[in-house]
Amino acid sequence: MSPRKLAAAAMLAAAVAAHAGDLTITVENVQSDDGQVMVGLFDSAASFPKQVARGRSVGAAQRDATGKIQVVFAGLAPGTYAVSAFHDRDNSGKLNVNMIGVPSEPYGFSGKPAGRMGAPAFSDAAIQVPDTGAAISIEVK
């Protein structure tokens, strides 16, 4: 790569990094130290809630005395996102459901969508992440 192209690439990378923020998610109401808390970040309506853009898991034993766990997605481009979280109490790596498909483990979504059958629409769970970053809370129930 020529020095000129290398310099342009470095400037572009710096500009992208300068316009990326962190999203800090506080998952509330983690009731036990069992299993893990799974958090999924979605960047489009087409992928929500099946295909995460980024995911994190944190051992539930890391919850604080009030039942809260923090998860950070660093370096996000500004935009619209949705977040899901659930307490995977049995450490299976998936949200358990009963015979009719109702979740049997605590779960929640960003945006405080109204309760109903199934996952909310992306637009109901949507949050804005500016280049300065954001912080949200999700209560799992």
Side-chain angles (χ1 to χ4, degrees):
M1 183 179 284
S2 74
R4 187 177 198 171
K5 285 183 181 180
L6 187 58
M11 286 175 42
L12 178 61
V16 169
H19 295 289
D22 295 349
L23 175 60
T24 302
I25 300 147
T26 301
V27 180
E28 301 177 353
N29 199 37
V30 179
Q31 295 291 308
S32 74
D33 289 348
D34 298 331
Q36 60 189 335
V37 173
M38 308 282 287
V39 180
L41 177 75
F42 303 86
D43 58 5
S44 71
S47 66
F48 182 75
K50 299 292 183 186
Q51 184 62 45
V52 297
R54 293 193 197 179
R56 299 269 189 280
S57 64
V58 177
Q62 294 183 36
R63 68 191 176 112
D64 68 14
T66 64
K68 296 178 183 176
I69 288 179
Q70 279 199 337
V71 175
V72 177
F73 290 102
L76 293 179
T80 304
Y81 297 90
V83 181
S84 69
F86 72 95
H87 183 182
D88 180 18
R89 294 184 293 206
D90 66 354
N91 235 2
S92 68
K94 62 182 181 147
L95 178 64
N96 293 339
V97 296
N98 66 17
M99 290 175 41
I100 59 172
V102 176
S104 57
E105 293 178 305
Y107 69 96
F109 296 95
S110 57
K112 308 279 187 212
R116 61 177 202 203
M117 293 296 287
F122 181 81
S123 60
D124 292 335
I127 57 165
Q128 295 298 314
V129 178
D131 59 0
T132 55
I136 65 166
S137 294
I138 296 176
E139 182 178 5
V140 293
K141 300 178 189 179

